[in-house]
Amino acid sequence: MSHEQQRRHELGSPATVQLNHTAVHATDRRLSAEFIAAILGLEVGAPFGPFLPVDLGNGVTLDYYEKRDEPIQSQHYAFLVPDDRFGTMIARLETVGVTYYADPGHTEPGRINRLFGGRGAYFEDPDGHNMEIMTRPYVRP
């Protein structure tokens, strides 16, 4: 075992890098956090400093941060969701009157895609972030 491998072993460091959390800018952190939590069937956590977290259940949180001093820059967030919950999420979008699309450019309203043998859809959150739900990860070269 090399010196570096021994050091890692002693420290118990993980073999891989994992995303732990990311900040999501919002004009109203509660509105945006509750929106995505409702669509995904999750819960909004207790405030953590200036952040309002939504725990995704895989060790990653979306930390909603209120930013009112400048326009929100639209970002893309993709969620790998269980196949048996996808239809429920689409129904939730329909219930709250949010249009979903088969494509990231939002040119195919009310349709889903079937990429990589799964199902997927895109929709905007209250601040215009391009959210994606998909049941199969992308196959990368």
Side-chain angles (χ1 to χ4, degrees), residues 45-106:
F48 181 71
F51 303 103
L52 194 57
V54 175
D55 185 343
L56 300 178
N58 63 345
V60 178
T61 58
L62 297 178
D63 291 338
Y64 280 86
Y65 178 77
E66 211 157 282
K67 188 172 183 174
R68 295 185 176 190
D69 56 343
E70 58 188 73
I72 302 297
Q73 175 67 44
S74 177
Q75 300 293 318
H76 174 64
Y77 298 91
F79 304 96
L80 184 61
V81 302
D83 190 63
D84 63 348
R85 293 177 49 199
F86 182 84
T88 301
M89 293 175 190
I90 292 294
R92 290 178 183 138
L93 289 167
E94 291 172 343
T95 297
V96 297
V98 173
T99 302
Y100 57 91
Y101 303 84
D103 63 307
H106 296 193

